[in-house]
Amino acid sequence: MGTEQRALFIIFGGTGDLAKRKLYPSLFNLYRKGFLNENFAVIGTARRPWTDEYFQKVVTDAINSEDALAEDATQFASHFYYQSHNVNDTEHYITLRNLADKLDRKYEIGGNRMFYLAMSPRFFGTIAEHLKSQKIVTSEGYNRVIVEKPFGRDFASATELNDAIGRYFPEKDVFRIDHYLGKEMVQNILAVRFGNNLFRALWNNRYIDNIQITLSEALGVEERAGYYETAGALRDMVQNHILQIVALLTMNMPASYSEEDIRREKIYALKSLKKYTPAQVQANFIRAQYTAANGQRGYREEEKIASDSATETFVAGKLFVDNENFSGVPIYVRTGKRLSQKRSRIDIAFKTMPTNIFAPQPLGQNVLTINIEPEGKIFLQINVKQVGQGFTLKKSHLDFFPTSNGKQVFPEAYEKLFADALAGDATNFTHWEEVAYSWKFVDAIRTAWDQHDYALEEYPCGSMGPVAADKLLARDGHKWFYTGQEH
Ligand code: NAD
């Protein structure tokens, strides 16, 4: 059971897709696990004129509880209240404050407030301002703001957004979500790196040959066309999830496992990303768009997508973190839509033995693979002797595949992140400086693409991207370990 928390949640965008798919089910799990008990309430706000009863039904439907849990679910949903609200209307904030104060007294919450901004970032500034000016923030408890991605579309707009929130909420109270940081296997990166002397000793440019990160999606643009057209894969996936993984993989050892120390080292790693000139962007980054194949239509034929759209649905790149331990180690990254499988995976390839006493038998490369999803798994490829007479080498691997009663059940990322935010622990949320350095890196690529007519490659739906993404590695004598065929 978790430590019970007292909190009033105010969810802006309470009728939205994210709230229904992720936030309500995650809060319910925390409720069932004892993190939330009686002293909590949730106000959902959005434009639609819903009643509390209707909202509570939406919430119980969203958590999709089985019969055995129905009573729990009804009890849980009774803590939910709905307030119709237009974020630009000052009057509405007064009604919201009155409801918040009433619920605070009713549930004896003690003034702790969590403001979850699950709506378009263009509203964040006005919401933050009104929360302060209409005194919805309290003086007796904490006041934390959780904000969703995208956090800006470049460094300039992210700075503007950050300033708009920062005028009313100090950095320590701003929890920027990158849901990858709530994933079990992403959190395992630090456990593996800093909990094992074996890996600590080898985790540097003397022993690591190259790193590969793949975040592939099988889905196409689906119903997010409007947003995606203005974003593209680089902004949507590289600036946040991929660079966060890069930071965890390349940061120096923190002084302790604490928010302050971990974030400091992550910031330093992101600051050390090698910035590319336009010519280097052309040589090291590839953008591409999916085309019709395997019964699926191409990106330009999707609804609400311009027939001459130049938005990239795939990006692959080679980057470097120029710190003491990683300078010179190529980090290959790729992400895209309509690829052959949905998979998030990291491969860390170690250098081969300097000499091979078994020659002419070849030695396989040691590769540590951290599979984030669909299944959470870590495996390490090693060379062993084949059982029997003689001395024949074969490749094998050591496995870690955590299960409970034969099944792999991890808490949903949002559930873990909610629990952290309730505990006031921002370790797994991105600090402003992490966001800022990530955008500066991404801006250099985006600007080069915008100012020069570098190729926009094509790839058929169901493939693993354009041939150019394979050539990027082949040029260095490497290949992607993940081929898109694995089960
Ligand atoms: P959505 O369009 O489904 O919901 C938006 C919500 O905002 C709705 O509740 C709507 O009523 C409300 N809203 C819009 N304008 C308003 C106004 N003027 N006043 C009051 N309420 C208003 O969007 P979503 O998919 O839930 O996403 C919300 C945010 O989370 C976005 O910033 C999105 O980028 C981010 N996000 C979503 C997902 C996801 O899986 N859906 C994943 C990552 C990030």
Side-chain angles (χ1 to χ4, degrees):
M1 297 296 267
T3 313
E4 196 219 318
Q5 305 280 348
R6 289 166 190 260
L8 173 69
F9 296 85
I10 301 185
I11 301 187
F12 290 87
T15 61
D17 171 68
L18 182 78
K20 287 190 269 194
R21 274 194 315 112
K22 300 289 183 190
L23 308 188
Y24 303 146
S26 298
L27 284 175
F28 181 55
N29 287 339
L30 289 180
Y31 175 73
R32 290 184 53 221
K33 291 176 185 172
F35 286 91
L36 298 171
N37 210 333
E38 286 315 307
N39 307 102
F40 85 98
V42 181
I43 303 178
T45 78
R47 276 175 309 192
R48 290 180 204 175
W50 286 1
T51 60
D52 289 347
E53 292 69 33
Y54 185 75
F55 183 43
Q56 291 173 3
K57 182 174 169 344
V58 169
V59 170
T60 40
D61 287 351
I63 60 188
N64 192 19
S65 65
E66 293 149 21
D67 281 348
L69 304 173
E71 202 176 310
D72 264 8
T74 313
Q75 193 60 32
F76 168 74
S78 73
H79 291 250
F80 281 66
Y81 297 80
Y82 187 79
Q83 176 69 58
S84 170
H85 180 94
N86 182 335
V87 290
N88 296 313
D89 188 334
T90 304
E91 285 299 311
H92 285 185
Y93 288 90
I94 299 171
T95 329
L96 189 59
R97 180 186 67 212
N98 292 336
L99 177 61
D101 291 347
K102 190 174 106 189
L103 295 176
D104 193 294
R105 286 191 297 275
K106 177 171 176 180
Y107 292 98
E108 297 174 16
I109 289 170
N112 290 340
R113 295 204 173 157
M114 297 279 245
F115 304 103
Y116 201 116
L117 310 190
M119 52 193 298
S120 165
R122 69 178 190 278
F123 298 126
F124 291 180
T126 185
I127 296 175
E129 181 188 346
H130 282 97
L131 290 176
K132 195 81 174 185
S133 69
Q134 299 312 310
K135 301 197 174 55
I136 302 177
V137 296
T138 61
S139 46
E140 61 272 32
Y142 60 68
N143 292 277
R144 298 178 185 145
V145 200
I146 306 183
V147 297
E148 268 297 337
K149 81 167 206 191
F151 201 87
R153 65 187 315 275
D154 51 24
F155 175 64
S157 58
T159 306
E160 225 171 87
L161 185 58
N162 197 54
D163 290 348
I165 300 170
R167 270 195 280 281
Y168 309 102
F169 291 89
E171 174 67 27
K172 74 170 183 47
D173 290 330
V174 183
F175 290 68
R176 294 177 197 80
I177 293 260
D178 185 319
H179 73 282
Y180 267 73
L181 297 180
K183 289 182 188 284
E184 200 61 43
M185 284 297 146
V186 173
Q187 296 190 353
N188 240 315
I189 296 172
L190 296 195
V192 167
R193 287 194 57 195
F194 302 123
N196 300 287
N197 206 18
L198 171 74
F199 290 121
R200 185 199 62 82
L202 301 181
W203 212 269
N204 55 52
N205 46 17
R206 294 182 297 287
Y207 291 98
I208 293 183
D209 184 57
N210 73 91
I211 294 180
Q212 304 180 9
I213 302 170
T214 299
L215 305 187
S216 65
E217 296 177 81
L219 291 177
V221 68
E222 315 300 310
E223 54 297 314
R224 290 171 73 220
Y227 156 73
Y228 201 81
E229 263 289 78
T230 61
L234 182 70
R235 289 190 177 104
D236 189 43
M237 299 294 285
V238 177
Q239 181 273 330
N240 37 52
H241 312 318
I242 286 191
L243 291 184
Q244 281 295 315
I245 292 173
V246 167
L248 291 169
L249 289 169
T250 59
M251 66 192 261
N252 289 333
M253 181 149 154
S256 70
Y257 186 80
S258 67
E259 174 185 322
E260 193 192 347
D261 291 336
I262 290 175
R263 285 168 140 200
R264 180 188 299 123
E265 296 304 341
K266 281 175 71 190
I267 291 168
Y268 181 64
L270 292 166
K271 186 177 179 181
S272 307
L273 279 165
K274 180 178 172 176
K275 302 285 174 324
Y276 285 145
T277 62
Q280 289 169 326
V281 169
Q282 186 181 26
N284 293 300
F285 267 82
I286 284 139
R287 55 177 171 161
Q289 214 174 54
Y290 60 80
T291 54
N294 300 316
Q296 286 166 325
R297 47 185 181 198
Y299 181 69
R300 291 180 183 180
E301 289 103 56
E302 299 273 23
E303 269 170 46
K304 298 192 194 148
I305 300 295
S307 55
D308 59 350
S309 169
T311 301
E312 80 284 357
T313 61
F314 175 97
V315 51
K318 173 164 85 165
L319 51 93
F320 292 94
V321 173
D322 275 341
N323 63 10
E324 184 195 351
N325 283 325
F326 275 89
S327 131
V329 178
I331 302 172
Y332 303 104
V333 303
R334 68 181 159 166
T335 182
K337 292 190 178 293
R338 283 267 186 262
L339 298 178
S340 68
Q341 283 184 338
K342 174 175 173 57
R343 187 164 291 269
S344 302
R345 165 172 161 160
I346 303 162
D347 295 286
I348 297 123
F350 292 88
K351 293 186 176 172
T352 43
M353 289 285 293
T355 52
N356 178 6
I357 62 164
F358 307 106
Q361 291 190 68
L363 283 175
Q365 197 168 15
N366 296 130
V367 182
L368 178 72
T369 299
I370 301 177
N371 205 85
I372 300 165
E373 55 200 7
E375 70 282 3
K377 188 158 87 168
I378 300 179
F379 54 101
L380 175 65
Q381 274 188 46
I382 55 169
N383 298 303
V384 295
K385 177 187 168 298
Q386 193 153 344
V387 175
Q389 299 290 348
F391 202 100
T392 310
L393 290 175
K394 71 165 195 169
K395 289 186 204 161
S396 188
H397 54 266
L398 306 175
D399 258 1
F400 169 63
F401 181 61
T403 55
S404 140
N405 298 327
K407 278 203 289 195
Q408 187 162 60
V409 188
F410 293 154
E412 164 66 45
Y414 278 92
E415 183 188 326
K416 285 159 76 80
L417 296 176
F418 259 135
D420 285 356
L422 281 166
D425 179 357
T427 310
N428 292 312
F429 293 82
T430 49
H431 188 278
W432 161 243
E433 286 186 63
E434 296 175 50
V435 175
Y437 286 123
S438 304
W439 273 126
K440 285 182 183 170
F441 174 78
V442 160
D443 279 359
I445 301 166
R446 193 64 257 177
T447 309
W449 284 350
D450 290 344
Q451 292 179 353
H452 303 266
D453 58 353
Y454 297 153
L456 174 66
E457 309 280 344
E458 295 182 346
Y459 63 101
C461 289
S463 68
M464 271 313 283
V467 178
D470 298 332
K471 287 194 183 150
L472 180 72
L473 275 71
R475 209 174 61 194
D476 300 338
H478 296 138
K479 62 180 178 44
W480 294 103
F481 291 107
Y482 171 54
T483 63
Q485 308 300 324
E486 286 80 346
H487 296 293

